[in-house]
Amino acid sequence: KITEETEIRGQLEFCECEPISLDEVEPAAEIVKRICTGAASYGSISGEAHRAMAIAMNRTGGRSNTGEGGEQSSRFAPLKAGTANAGAVDWEIFDGDSERSKIKQVASGRFGVTAEYL
């Protein structure tokens, strides 16, 4: 009942209709190019969370946003396959995974924004 009253999905009504052909549906590879994370400055969330969002978005073809904090240069090189520990969680890293965010936010040239970052 709370979902129905407070969330958008609870307000939607669906009707029975004829299915559309898959030829009319945009390929997933094109859709994910428009998906991006919100800007989250390094430090406003943990470094592990920041890197995890970048890896996930890079894997799916989406884009993560660095926020004003820039990125550490160690995130610029592609990763080698293995496991990365992030506190209580181990991530499986695939060869070529990247922690680099595709969207570079530059507020005022502060917070680790360097020529290498750009």
Side-chain angles (χ1 to χ4, degrees), residues 93-113:
I93 302 297
F94 301 109
D95 206 33
D97 271 347
S98 175
E99 298 175 322
R100 190 170 194 167
S101 292
K102 290 183 180 174
I103 300 172
K104 308 296 186 191
Q105 184 172 328
V106 181
S108 62
R110 305 178 304 173
F111 307 124
V113 176

Side-chain angles (χ1 to χ4, degrees), residues 7-38:
E7 296 182 18
I8 292 173
R9 67 181 177 177
Q11 305 297 311
L12 299 175
E13 293 181 16
F14 296 95
C15 59
E16 295 293 325
C17 59
E18 293 295 315
I20 63 171
S21 166
L22 287 178
D23 294 337
E24 296 180 51
V25 178
E26 188 175 6
E30 294 302 314
I31 295 170
V32 296
K33 290 178 183 177
R34 296 190 302 271
I35 298 173
C36 61
T37 65

Side-chain angles (χ1 to χ4, degrees), residues 70-77 100-101 104 112-118:
E71 287 178 306
Q72 297 168 324
S73 60
S74 61
R75 292 176 55 172
F76 299 164
R100 190 170 194 167
S101 292
K104 308 296 186 191
V113 176
T114 64
E116 183 181 25
Y117 164 78
L118 297 174

Side-chain angles (χ1 to χ4, degrees), residues 54-76:
I55 290 169
M57 296 306 284
N58 288 330
R59 283 183 183 175
T60 61
R63 297 172 293 162
S64 62
N65 186 323
T66 62
E68 290 182 353
E71 287 178 306
Q72 297 168 324
S73 60
S74 61
R75 292 176 55 172
F76 299 164

